[in-house]
Amino acid sequence: MHMRSIALALVAMVSVGAASAAPADRIVLPTNVSPTHYDIAITPNAAALTFTGSVKIDIDVKQAANRIVLNAADLNFAKVSVSGASAAPAVSYDKTQETATLIFPANISAGAHVLSIDYTGKINQHAAGLFALDYDVANGKKRALFTQFENSDARRFIPSWDEPGHKATFTLTATVPADEMAVSNTPIASTDTLSGNLKRVHFAASPKMSSYLLFFGVGDFERISRKVNGVDVGVIVKRGDTARAAYALDAASHILPYYEDYFGVKFPLPKLDLIAGPGQSQFFGAMENWGAIFYFEGALLIDPKLSTESDKREIYIVIAHEMAHQWFGDLVTMAWWDDLWLNEGFASWMEVKATDHFNPEWHLWLDSQNAKEDAMRVDARGGTHPIIQPIKDVLQANEAFDTITYEKGESVIRMLEDYVGADAFRAGVRNYMKDHAYSNTVTDDLWRELDKTSTTPVSTVAHDFTLQAGVPLIRVTVTPKGLHLTQGRFTNDGTGDATTSWHVPVSVQALGASNIWHGLVTRAQPADVAESTNTAVVVNAGQAGYFRTLYAPAAFAPLAAHFAELKAADQLGLVNDTRALAYAGYEPFGDFISLAAKVTPQTDPTVLTTLAGRLEGIDSLYRELPGQAAYRKFALGVLDPVFAKVGWTAKPGESQNVALLRQALLEALGQMGDPAVIAEARRRFAGFVKDQSSLSGDMRDSVLAIAAGNADAATWEQLHTLAKTTKDSLEKRRYYRLLGTAYNRDLANEALKLAMTDEAEVTTRPSIIREVAGWYPDMAFDFAVANFEKINAMLEPDSRNQFEVGLAAGSYNRATIAKVKAYADAHIAASARQDSVKAQASIAEYATIREKRLPEIDSVLAARKH
Ligand code: BES
Ligand code: ZN
């Protein structure tokens, strides 16, 4: 491990791609030739879904050679030449490796050359390479074009060295319809008017950057903009949508100066556009192209008629996330996908920090505990991996965009910032930015900077949590002198392991006390904390630590007794840990049930929102089991009094988190069959069908969700008509997705059939299937397997190794595990089956919960006095 870090750090220092020091089994391009500049000219033919391109690449040939290998996928080279070469090369393509090899009759000399290639390519109808999104307008249809390159699809647009370590500058020229708007990473330098209603747009040169960050888009767009700290910040939308873009422009305008300050580096480009595309992907919602961030429109636009409080929040967050990448990712880039978490973990943490700064009333750090919860769930079972993991090829890189990289990454950074202090942490990040700008890094480059700026060395803790998989378990027992803390490992089957050890930063605080005990606990070094033994004492106080806390009954009892007095973060931590420990068999389920019964309408709304979701999740696992009725009686007994206070209608001046709570309660009560809630939702839905202005925002979303979930055939048809008739892409997509959410099996089946027709836009179709999988995972999976060729054609290649297996992940049938495995063996490349492994682990976990834990809940509830 140590060796690898040193080798890669050296590579970064001499500013060459990481590939030259790569492990032998890594499948990357030869490093003999590398690019310094790309001069690209593109002419799309949107109607024919093809394009022609011509590229001149300045290359540096390190040793004389008669071969050049570069990336190309689905491109046809018409003409190839290299300056100084006497003859054109022969070209051979490798479809699996996505490379083209140019074989010259004689050696190309060492030194600088220009490689020129004229070529043609295709425009996809899913987000890979250059792609088209179609949408309705008043009198027909329109088509807009965009690009999507991460992690390895620039090679569908330009023959290139398409690996993050090969940074180069780019100039792009595009020939497009004269009445359309063309966008790229940089401003337009000049425009030529051409005949045939065309124009040629020349974009200014980009900074030195990785190929996956290049962007191009063209369509009938409008742009709104504002100057912020000298940067031209814009939001680009299809014609007619500018009013929906105002919220995003405000958010971006707030966040830009905040980041310039936090990172200590000015935004390096003259403009920053946020671009909305009318469609979606099964893989991502937004992409951080430098200076030209792409969003599927649902992740960027706000319309008071359609959007909810949580949409506003998600949009603020996704803007903060992609803008964080403009520094962490775009200016400083991981050398190879092993360190992808430097991009995604960091941006996921930063999105919370920036959004919380501008919207403190949302209490996002509290909410982020649920991201940590998602991470700890997958990190406790089969198929997990360390945050930093060896990535062999780009197919595997694709799988690294997962909960460990994002949510565990985010949680570990939060823990480290808490451990070293916010100022020391920021100072280290600033130095890291300055030292590595326009270059590539490995994770140890960051730790080195933090070790310098922090008084407590960070790398010991950091290495333990990034190089080892898994979740530490801190067991708390009561001794005559206070608390005794020991360390083990939390696994979802309760078996743990006997060896893994972490340096875990632990904070301990007694209820009402002002002092906090801080210490490092390892497996070999337990800790004793002097505390009065009859008060409630919280371990992981503030909940910044990435570990689970298992209290012995004597330590748990006072916490449960004083639950209402704990800080919201600690209440949430206790609820989450207690549930997970009960699922895994470490702790009796009665502890979770007793905490759930303790909440009141006065409990913090985020804690209540989480609890509503947890109770709903348990209900989903009770499907078709005899205990469900008794369980629902209990869960409704907990949530109904809360809903009685929150009500259907927003109260003037209520906290925005109450709006989220209302939505979560309605969703949970709607699923658990609360008769009053369902009747009222149906009544409101009937009014909406007559007059669509009768509902908007949060209420519209909740009512439509309950009506669709509990739909009969007539209601489903009403929704279907609404889907067909609206011309608004944002609204249309929501209706079609709702059609997949019916609990009625026949209607779910209808939705699956609908997804195979060409009625909905191509990118909407797979998401109907995904919605069906929410309640009918096995049915959706079987259907997708039966139709996989047709479905895969609708999906971006990045999604093909995870979409079908992901449908099954919510199943609780052990028989499905073998079916998932068989599907993966037959249809997914061996290096890319990790998502299938994760899905199998998820199914096994659900099956175990149904076999072992739900009966436990049954008996706990039977024994409760009502
Ligand atoms: N870089 C990713 C998007 C991406 C990754 C696109 C891999 C294609 C392949 C981007 O920064 C991202 O993480 N987007 C998230 C949103 C974010 C708020 C978590 C997404 O799209 O889900
Ligand atoms: Zn990201």
Side-chain angles (χ1 to χ4, degrees), residues 652-676:
E654 76 180 15
S655 116
Q656 292 167 22
N657 284 345
V658 173
L660 260 63
L661 173 58
R662 178 176 297 110
Q663 203 177 8
L665 287 169
L666 284 171
E667 185 184 311
L669 296 174
Q671 175 180 310
M672 292 195 271
D674 184 294

Side-chain angles (χ1 to χ4, degrees), residues 232-293:
D232 178 16
V233 178
V235 182
I236 296 178
V237 293
K238 62 184 164 59
R239 182 168 303 286
D241 273 348
T242 53
R244 292 169 159 185
Y247 179 81
L249 184 60
D250 281 345
S253 305
H254 296 155
I255 295 167
L256 186 81
Y258 176 84
Y259 283 163
E260 290 188 326
D261 175 58
Y262 188 87
F263 293 116
V265 179
K266 287 267 156 210
F267 182 68
L269 290 161
K271 68 96 180 169
L272 171 62
D273 284 318
L274 282 58
I275 301 142
Q280 68 180 106
S281 137
Q282 297 304 314
F283 198 79
F284 73 105
M287 174 64 210
E288 69 265 25
N289 315 298
W290 215 358
I293 306 175

Side-chain angles (χ1 to χ4, degrees), residues 70 104 210 248 376 458 557 581 769 817:
L70 74 173
F104 295 87
S210 303
M376 292 202 289
V458 68
L581 289 161
I769 304 174
I817 299 174

Side-chain angles (χ1 to χ4, degrees), residues 148 150 283-288 318 321-322 325 344 401 406:
Q148 171 56 36
E150 193 176 20
F283 198 79
F284 73 105
M287 174 64 210
E288 69 265 25
V318 71
H321 178 104
E322 305 310 334
H325 279 314
E344 299 303 349
F401 292 85
Y406 279 74

Side-chain angles (χ1 to χ4, degrees), residues 167-205:
K167 289 199 175 186
T169 52
F170 295 80
T171 45
L172 177 64
T173 296
T175 302
V176 297
D179 53 357
E180 293 194 355
M181 186 189 292
V183 201
S184 184
N185 307 77
T186 51
I188 293 174
S190 66
T191 303
D192 313 324
T193 307
L194 307 179
S195 62
N197 199 30
L198 293 172
K199 62 182 175 188
R200 189 182 298 122
V201 178
H202 303 268
F203 294 96

